[in-house]
Amino acid sequence: MDAVRVALLREVLAGTEWLGATRHFAGTLRGSVVSHGGGLLLVGTPAYEPWHLAAHLADEAAWSGTPELAPTLVRHAARPSDPAHLAVGLGRLEAARRGETLLVVAPGEPAGKAAAPLLERVCDARRAGATVLSLGPGEGELPAMAHEVLPVPDGSELDLDTVQHLVSAAAGENALPARRGPRRFRDRLSRLADLLTAPPPTRW
């Protein structure tokens, strides 16, 4: 989703709680990675990998000049033969420490034996001092472990993919220094032009 579509979506959502909720969550995410400087870990469930969000956050990190927003995508089925940015397995969560931020994205509460390793490692990361953020179900074990939750329950007006677009766009905007006076509108136009003319991402 490009900047124009995000802007149109925000117009449609004006007056709803989604804009404030996604911006607040994005502000928490940005504030955590910038203030701690320990890096951002991004993980999904065995059935859902948020690689699209990883790509958008990497783009926002480059465009906003905030490298801390560029995530390390942690995968459940990572193989040593995968490209380096796709070869990070769940073992990385065991090494999570204070100062790092862990963003967990799940379309629903992980269930079954396959979910146990994820829940255990998220719990361990929190105990080690990492900041845990949850994007997905508003109830269950996973949100209960998180310091900040943006619930996207089944039947919501927006699906999880759309919410991820809003969060990633807001995270990049929140990273930009606030300015006052007539230059602010010019800066926004300049950034929009950069977004529209930037080449499409190829890494992911």
Side-chain angles (χ1 to χ4, degrees):
M1 187 179 293
D2 58 32
V4 172
R5 291 189 180 94
V6 170
L8 291 174
L9 178 59
R10 285 173 172 169
E11 288 185 15
V12 171
L13 295 173
T16 71
E17 296 180 356
W18 284 109
L19 289 185
T22 52
R23 282 176 170 149
H24 173 78
F25 188 83
T28 301
L29 170 63
R30 179 260 306 156
S32 177
V33 298
V34 171
S35 62
H36 295 156
L40 173 61
L41 303 175
L42 176 63
V43 67
T45 67
Y48 182 88
E49 288 190 338
W51 61 267
H52 203 175
L53 177 58
H56 281 291
L57 285 172
D59 288 342
E60 292 295 338
W63 291 330
S64 66
T66 312
E68 298 92 339
L69 276 175
T72 297
L73 180 62
V74 178
R75 304 178 64 218
H76 290 259
R79 299 168 299 181
S81 59
D82 290 331
H85 66 290
L86 298 175
V88 180
L90 287 181
R92 176 61 181 84
L93 300 185
E94 296 176 0
R97 294 292 180 266
R98 183 175 303 279
E100 293 186 308
T101 301
L102 172 59
L103 172 56
V104 186
V105 181
E109 176 67 13
K113 293 182 179 180
L118 173 62
L119 294 173
E120 290 173 3
R121 286 171 171 82
V122 171
C123 183
D124 290 342
R126 174 168 176 138
R127 287 175 178 169
T131 299
V132 178
L133 309 180
S134 173
L135 179 56
E139 299 178 350
E141 291 184 72
L142 184 56
M145 298 180 196
H147 296 90
E148 185 78 26
V149 179
L150 177 55
V152 189
D154 290 339
S156 297
E157 299 89 344
L158 301 183
D159 60 22
L160 185 60
D161 288 340
T162 301
V163 172
Q164 289 177 71
H165 283 292
L166 291 171
V167 167
S168 60
E173 291 171 351
N174 286 336
L176 296 175
R179 293 185 179 180
R180 299 181 180 273
R183 291 193 60 190
R184 186 175 181 182
F185 180 68
R186 211 174 314 154
D187 292 339
R188 290 165 61 193
L189 285 179
S190 176
R191 183 173 185 275
L192 178 59
D194 290 342
L195 291 174
L196 294 177
T197 57
T202 58
R203 185 183 181 204
W204 304 92

